[in-house]
């Protein structure tokens, strides 16, 4: 289950790649059909509707919790609860956008060609996924999960092994043969996470909003507290707090692909 409050605790840092991606989406004519797949709370879908006021903009997400916060009205903006793995667009999409969502789908290398098929000729497929699967936050999570105490827990459901191998070159190799002109790149942001009330571990709070969700969902309150203390102490060593914040490097991979 997604927790919108937890996820948006670092909204400024999480939103920034969305706008860096959007800046590279330059359709030759204003699009009429736009979809944001895995739109979450919809506040960024609203930014798409504002950018292209003549378009019909759909925000789609499978999480009722996330969509319950999607209180952004607009004549050209609607939201739908659906699974992007099966969803079919009523009309070809002139912009298919997705920010920080496709990596949640197992075997996303098979998903991407399917989504590419929903894009109109001349349309744009733009997405961003985290590329931080080799970061200490993930390596330490796997290490703590491998300890005997937590042997019964399932790790993330994401296809991490496959995703870890996906960078700009691999996405280009997937989409270019399908007739797309691809602009793909990567950026490592150095987030300086602010000090939190009560000395809470900022990196732990960040990960609680995303990668830790599937783990915490399997634990009761006392077990969760124990797990968080164990993993949190590893994170505190890997990401020391400085006077100016907690430096948290975060790699992301971006793709803007134009069809035909
Ligand atoms: C990290 S959040 C990103 C939300 C939003 N795009 C943003 O940037 O704020 C990932 C979102 O993907 C959604 N998601 C994951 N798997 C999905 C699926 N199979 N179908 C639809 N949405 C999915 C989740 O419910 C979640 O809201």
């Amino acid at each position: 289950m997604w927790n919108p409050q937890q996820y948006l605790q670092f909204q400024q840092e999480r939103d920034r790649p969305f706008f860096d991606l959007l800046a590279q989406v330059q359709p030759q004519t204003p699009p009429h059909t736009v979809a944001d797949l895995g739109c979450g709370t919809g506040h960024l879908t609203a930014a798409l509707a504002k950018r292209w006021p003549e378009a019909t903009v759909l925000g789609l997400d499978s999480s009722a919790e996330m969509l319950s916060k999607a209180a952004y009205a607009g004549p050209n903006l609607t939201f739908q609860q659906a699974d992007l793995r099966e969803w079919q667009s009523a009309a070809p999409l002139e912009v298919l956008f997705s920010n920080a969502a496709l990596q949640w789908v197992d075997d996303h290398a098979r998903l991407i060609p399917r989504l590419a098929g929903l894009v109109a000729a001349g349309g744009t497929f733009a997405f961003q996924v985290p590329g931080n699967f080799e970061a200490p936050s993930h390596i330490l999570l796997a290490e703590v999960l491998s300890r005997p105490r937590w042997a019964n827990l399932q790790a993330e459901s994401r296809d991490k092994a496959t995703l870890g191998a996906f960078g700009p070159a691999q996405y280009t190799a997937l989409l270019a043969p399908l007739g797309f002109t691809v602009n793909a790149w990567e950026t490592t942001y150095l987030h300086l996470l602010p000090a939190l009330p009560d000395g809470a571990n900022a990196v732990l709070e960040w990960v609680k909003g995303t990668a830790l969700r599937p783990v915490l969902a399997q634990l009761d309150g006392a077990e969760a507290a124990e797990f968080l203390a164990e993993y949190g102490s590893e994170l505190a060593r890997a990401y020391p707090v400085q006077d100016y914040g907690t430096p948290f490097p975060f790699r992301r991979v971006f793709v803007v692909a134009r069809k035909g």
Side-chain angles (χ1 to χ4, degrees):
M1 188 184 285
W2 284 83
N3 179 335
Q5 284 81 13
Q6 186 76 38
Y7 183 72
L8 291 179
Q9 199 176 348
F10 301 99
Q11 182 171 352
Q12 196 181 323
E13 291 83 359
R14 292 199 197 274
D15 284 1
R16 186 172 158 194
F18 169 95
F19 290 103
D20 289 347
L21 179 67
L22 183 58
Q24 297 298 320
V25 180
Q26 306 282 352
Q28 283 169 346
T29 54
H32 295 96
T33 47
V34 176
D36 180 14
L37 302 190
C39 66
T41 60
H43 65 288
L44 296 171
T45 321
L48 298 179
K50 198 167 163 195
R51 161 106 183 245
W52 294 301
E54 289 164 24
T56 299
V57 179
L58 172 71
L60 181 130
D61 203 284
S62 54
S63 162
E65 295 77 28
M66 289 300 240
L67 285 174
S68 70
K69 300 287 170 201
Y72 303 91
N76 63 333
L77 176 59
T78 54
F79 292 97
Q80 181 185 343
Q81 186 178 3
D83 190 320
L84 64 86
R85 289 172 295 183
E86 286 129 31
W87 178 75
Q88 293 289 343
S89 175
L93 295 165
E94 291 171 19
V95 174
L96 194 171
F97 207 91
S98 184
N99 189 55
L102 301 185
Q103 78 281 0
W104 287 103
V105 174
D106 282 340
D107 199 2
H108 81 311
R110 280 177 47 175
L111 171 77
I112 284 171
R114 187 187 93 72
L115 296 180
L118 304 179
V119 178
T124 302
F125 183 12
F127 62 91
Q128 178 273 121
V129 290
N132 64 337
F133 297 95
E134 304 302 325
S137 54
H138 278 71
I139 289 172
L140 289 170
L141 178 56
E143 194 274 304
V144 173
L145 282 169
S146 73
R147 295 175 186 171
R149 169 74 180 89
W150 308 111
N152 294 337
L153 292 183
Q154 303 292 316
E156 295 169 74
S157 63
R158 295 193 267 182
D159 186 2
K160 209 162 52 174
T162 315
L163 260 174
F166 269 77
Q170 287 76 18
Y171 288 119
T172 302
L174 260 183
L175 287 165
L178 301 178
F180 284 79
T181 303
V182 185
N183 168 21
W185 71 100
E186 65 179 78
T187 298
T188 299
Y189 297 93
L190 182 66
H191 298 308
L192 289 176
L193 302 183
L196 297 179
D198 303 327
N201 181 324
V203 178
L204 183 64
E205 289 303 309
W206 177 294
V207 184
K208 275 163 75 177
T210 49
L212 263 188
R213 290 181 321 100
V215 174
L216 295 178
Q218 302 167 62
L219 299 172
D220 67 25
E223 290 171 327
E226 190 188 341
F227 185 89
L228 290 172
E230 216 174 293
Y231 176 49
S233 73
E234 299 294 343
L235 287 180
R237 265 195 290 279
Y239 300 96
V241 179
Q242 307 294 341
D243 292 343
Y244 47 84
T246 304
F248 182 44
F250 202 114
R251 176 176 176 254
R252 293 186 183 270
V253 178
F254 299 79
V255 177
V256 176
R258 201 165 162 277
K259 194 173 195 172

